[in-house]
Amino acid sequence: MCGIVGYTGYRRAQPILLDSLKKLEYRGYDSAGIAVCGEGLELHKTKGEIAELEKTLPEIEGVVGIAHTRWATHGKPSQKNAHPFLDCKKSIALIHNGIIENYLEIKEKLIEEGHEFTSDTDTEVVVHLLEKYSEDGLEKAMLKALHDIEGSYGFVAINSKEKGTIVVARKESPLILGKGNDENFVASDIPALLKETNKIMQLHDGEVATLTPKSIKVVDLDGNEVKREWKTITWNVEDAEKGGFEHFMLKEIYETPETIHNTLLGRVSELQFAPTLHNDFSSVKMVACGTSYHAALTGKYIFEEIANISTTAELASEYRYSSRARERPLTILISQSGETADTLGASREAKLRGCPVWAITNYMGSSLAREVGERNVLYTRAGIEIGVAATKTFTAQLIALYLAALQLASQRHAKTSDQIRRMAEELRTLPRVAWGVLGKASEIRSLAKKYHKVEDAYFIGRGRNYPVSLEGALKLKEISYIHGEGYAAGELKHGPLALLSEETLVVAIAVQDHTYPKMLGNIREVNARSSPILGIGYEDDEELHRYVDDVLYVPRVSNILSPVPISIALQLFAYYVAKERGCEIDKPRHLAKTVTVE
Ligand code: F6R
């Protein structure tokens, strides 16, 4: 998410830091900042681009420094919320990637102890903790601070009283150390280091490293030294941006477990799943476009089952021009970018209709977040998505919808607190489930090899997996240019059966929920037309294989959560089919990542 760089050596730090930071621009950001140890500590930061920062930067002397690009999660994009942050004495500077879950508690305590805060961020508490524990030096201060913190982090800190030293710490947020000659580097991602060095070491979770120009020491959380190996990498910058994956889409699908974790972070442990709702409403309407609309439609099933509230989903482009009903449903706008013109138009329309509004988006400070008010937004925290086809952000939207449904269930007493707690706990298992699906990549690739030549594909599902079939078809068509259609399986006999032949692939989602017997019936209907069938079912399903040509098994979860593993499997299937067909995967023809026209 955020971009992090640090340098200690014998050359002027400023140009090296800015140059390295620019290599991380592709990840997206909303503000940038730099701190360099010269005579004292010099800090400069701005909202907006690195180029903006450069316009106002003087030439700073100093051979150690840190720099950061921020992707907002706590506190709006603004200069005051940009990193680095300084302690009260202005000698320690800190940058951070991640989320501190218990920052409010820590902040209250630090304020009581006399610390003064300048931002709305979670990060700032940590620089004040470093100040509080600074007596024995920065490394010890970091180790002590880490014991107070819950959450995820990649921290990089400097202290003007310990010139030449950088201390870094990692938990669930990448940090890479780079070794030079009489100079050392740290960054959140490899592209930032490549111009300077190809000797790198990935810091592991629970490790703290201290860098000086001539040394790098790694210790565990108890301060015991850890011996680690250096690797020489041969990637070019483009390979490095893709993290070694051939396409951003594949990289982003592989980021799904981490994304799920980030979307859940802090929300499950505090049983505060989403913003509190104060309005009165008796139904919910979800409004969105494209893939986000498929999340919305899945949301209908999730809300009705978990929160026991009547829910509809509507396309934003239709909702805007529909006649105004008398009802005032809670209207939830869903948009990855927060900039889709039709979804923004729909949010204005919902407000005109007097509906309470909520938004689910990935971008803090986006037009949608501003439109509905930051307090009414549930952020998906998926990080930047570069591939045009939405993948990890779709999964993050599903997770946000489960959280929102739990919030509603709790406020409306639709479930007992025990039931809510149990469901919330199961959400925490989803990163592992996602890894389970990713573990099937080579199997999925073989299936893609077998079926990549079809020109027509129908995806069928029932209930909560009907929208997943729509999304499976959309993924396939947009990146492989195969004609794909999603259908509610029960609708096959009302028209589409006429199109089925030996040349038509049917992907049938058949999880063992209450729709399973009917789904098997629909599969038999397809069988009778001789179309090849790829079934998608639970790992321990011993029946499905009898009715279909191939089965792609996904880990079993509670049925309500089944859209998560299945949609990840379908994303991989679409990816490998498109790859077999030699398509331009990350930038499909005629499509844009953000659609700001109606
Ligand atoms: C498809 C895809 C699009 C978007 C749609 C809405 O893979 O990404 O269908 O879902 O353009 O975009 P957002 O979610 O930004 O409103």
Side-chain angles (χ1 to χ4, degrees):
M1 285 203 253
C2 302
I4 281 182
V5 296
Y7 170 78
T8 176
Y10 56 89
R11 293 183 282 159
R12 256 186 72 224
Q14 179 183 349
I16 299 169
L17 291 171
L18 292 174
D19 225 34
S20 303
L21 203 57
K22 283 180 195 161
K23 300 289 185 308
L24 300 180
E25 282 193 301
Y26 75 99
R27 298 158 59 102
Y29 62 102
D30 53 59
S31 47
I34 181 170
V36 174
C37 271
E39 279 304 298
L41 195 55
E42 260 205 60
L43 171 76
H44 298 269
K45 48 193 193 176
T46 184
K47 182 178 169 196
E49 299 189 354
I50 300 171
E52 276 309 301
L53 179 70
E54 280 181 307
K55 275 187 205 156
T56 55
L57 266 187
E59 289 222 337
I60 316 171
E61 292 306 323
V63 291
V64 55
I66 56 180
H68 188 266
T69 45
R70 174 173 187 250
W71 167 288
T73 54
H74 283 91
K76 284 194 271 213
S78 63
Q79 191 201 24
K80 74 168 181 175
N81 289 335
H83 300 210
F85 293 103
L86 301 185
D87 67 325
C88 300
K89 298 192 195 92
K90 304 203 177 343
S91 70
I92 302 172
L94 173 85
I95 53 182
H96 168 219
N97 186 3
I99 295 164
I100 308 300
E101 292 181 41
N102 58 340
Y103 81 102
L104 279 174
E105 211 178 289
I106 300 175
K107 190 166 177 174
E108 268 168 33
K109 228 197 255 164
L110 287 166
I111 289 173
E112 268 170 35
E113 290 169 12
H115 291 265
E116 283 177 20
F117 285 78
T118 58
S119 78
D120 312 318
T121 64
D122 51 339
T123 302
E124 198 183 358
V125 297
V126 183
V127 78
H128 291 282
L129 283 178
L130 293 179
E131 176 182 15
K132 176 173 164 178
Y133 297 131
S134 62
E135 223 173 64
D136 300 323
L138 197 53
E139 184 197 82
K140 292 233 162 59
M142 182 67 85
L143 286 168
K144 280 191 185 155
L146 295 184
H147 285 289
D148 293 354
I149 293 166
E150 285 162 28
S152 64
Y153 48 77
F155 289 128
V156 180
I158 52 175
N159 186 348
S160 60
K161 293 185 184 140
E162 288 174 56
K163 283 219 175 85
T165 299
I166 300 181
V167 175
V168 312
R170 172 198 159 133
K171 185 180 164 212
E172 293 162 8
S173 184
L175 274 186
I176 291 122
L177 309 182
K179 190 149 93 165
N181 292 325
D182 295 332
E183 54 184 357
N184 287 312
F185 309 84
V186 58
S188 54
D189 209 350
I190 293 171
L193 298 176
L194 282 181
K195 195 176 150 211
E196 303 296 343
T197 178
N198 62 357
K199 286 211 164 39
I200 65 139
M201 178 207 289
Q202 296 259 9
L203 207 61
H204 290 173
D205 280 353
E207 289 180 346
V208 171
T210 303
L211 287 70
T212 67
K214 289 186 187 294
S215 67
I216 295 183
K217 182 178 88 175
V218 181
V219 298
D220 64 18
L221 289 181
D222 298 320
N224 304 313
E225 199 160 341
V226 180
K227 283 274 164 262
R228 298 288 313 283
E229 302 268 296
W230 290 90
K231 272 195 200 143
T232 305
I233 48 158
T234 51
W235 294 349
N236 60 30
V237 172
E238 208 192 317
D239 290 342
E241 285 178 352
K242 291 182 186 146
F245 289 95
E246 197 176 338
H247 296 97
F248 280 112
M249 181 178 174
L250 190 61
K251 173 174 183 254
E252 285 155 3
I253 297 173
Y254 271 83
E255 284 167 355
T256 302
E258 186 191 343
T259 298
I260 298 175
H261 176 79
N262 284 337
T263 311
L264 293 174
L265 206 65
R267 293 168 171 159
V268 169
S269 54
E270 290 176 20
L271 297 180
Q272 175 67 42
F273 307 106
T276 311
L277 289 158
H278 298 293
N279 307 71
D280 216 21
F281 49 84
S282 54
S283 62
V284 176
K285 185 182 282 294
M286 315 237 181
V287 185
C289 300
T291 288
S292 296
Y293 169 70
H294 297 151
L297 200 53
T298 319
K300 166 192 155 61
Y301 293 89
I302 295 173
F303 270 51
E304 291 188 338
E305 186 166 335
I306 297 181
N308 195 18
I309 187 162
S310 143
T311 305
T312 54
E314 213 165 319
L315 289 163
S317 52
E318 289 297 313
Y319 171 79
R320 292 179 68 183
Y321 305 107
S322 60
S323 53
R324 295 181 180 178
R326 221 178 285 145
E327 243 188 282
R328 304 273 173 274
L330 165 67
T331 305
I332 304 184
L333 292 311
I334 306 178
S335 171
Q336 183 279 130
S337 61
E339 302 296 343
T340 300
D342 278 316
T343 312
L344 284 174
S347 87
R348 281 176 214 127
E349 179 62 25
K351 285 205 284 189
L352 279 178
R353 293 181 190 191
C355 304
V357 287
W358 248 15
I360 293 178
T361 182
N362 199 31
Y363 276 79
M364 197 170 257
S366 60
S367 304
L368 182 61
R370 289 202 304 272
E371 193 71 49
V372 305
E374 292 279 341
R375 244 185 285 134
N376 301 314
V377 183
L378 180 54
Y379 289 103
T380 44
R381 303 175 183 157
I384 184 103
E385 188 173 67
I386 293 174
V388 164
T391 52
K392 64 173 178 171
T393 57
F394 173 72
T395 314
Q397 288 172 343
L398 294 184
I399 303 300
L401 285 162
Y402 290 116
L403 289 168
L406 286 174
Q407 180 71 23
L408 228 59
S410 144
Q411 283 182 226
R412 295 166 54 85
H413 307 292
K415 292 264 181 293
T416 65
S417 42
D418 238 30
Q419 286 171 316
I420 290 175
R421 206 178 292 272
R422 255 184 282 126
M423 285 180 132
E425 279 309 318
E426 194 179 352
L427 288 179
R428 289 206 217 235
T429 66
L430 288 177
R432 201 164 9 97
V433 170
W435 277 121
V437 182
L438 297 174
K440 310 247 166 190
S442 60
E443 210 177 296
I444 298 175
R445 191 171 184 173
S446 309
L447 290 165
K449 273 199 166 98
K450 177 169 174 186
Y451 291 117
H452 76 277
K453 290 203 174 117
V454 299
E455 287 307 328
D456 299 283
Y458 288 83
F459 289 68
I460 55 172
R462 281 178 170 259
R464 52 182 87 87
N465 283 308
Y466 156 53
V468 178
S469 72
L470 297 179
E471 177 57 11
L474 176 64
K475 273 309 76 106
L476 187 73
K477 78 179 109 185
E478 69 179 324
I479 59 166
S480 74
Y481 312 143
I482 291 175
H483 161 239
E485 278 190 57
Y487 257 97
E491 279 291 298
L492 273 186
K493 53 184 156 310
H494 298 291
L497 273 187
L499 290 171
L500 297 191
S501 72
E502 285 165 17
E503 314 292 312
T504 327
L505 171 65
V506 175
V507 180
I509 306 170
V511 293
Q512 288 163 309
D513 61 11
H514 62 293
T515 68
Y516 188 66
K518 291 275 177 249
M519 197 60 217
L520 293 184
N522 297 133
I523 289 174
R524 277 192 215 103
E525 290 165 5
V526 177
N527 262 328
R529 274 82 193 170
S530 310
S531 299
I533 309 176
L534 167 58
I536 312 228
Y538 286 142
E539 249 155 17
D540 51 359
D541 181 334
E542 287 172 4
E543 203 178 348
L544 185 57
H545 72 97
R546 292 194 210 127
Y547 306 98
V548 298
D549 297 84
D550 292 285
V551 191
L552 174 50
Y553 293 106
V554 299
R556 182 179 281 276
V557 286
S558 288
N559 291 324
I560 184 72
L561 301 182
S562 58
V564 173
I566 293 170
S567 53
I568 301 169
L570 292 179
Q571 290 166 3
L572 279 175
F573 181 67
Y575 171 79
Y576 285 118
V577 169
K579 191 169 143 55
E580 287 300 321
R581 291 168 71 98
C583 298
E584 181 70 54
I585 293 179
D586 284 331
K587 288 194 185 115
R589 66 189 180 206
H590 313 318
L591 296 180
K593 184 74 186 157
T594 305
V595 185
T596 52
V597 289
E598 295 174 27

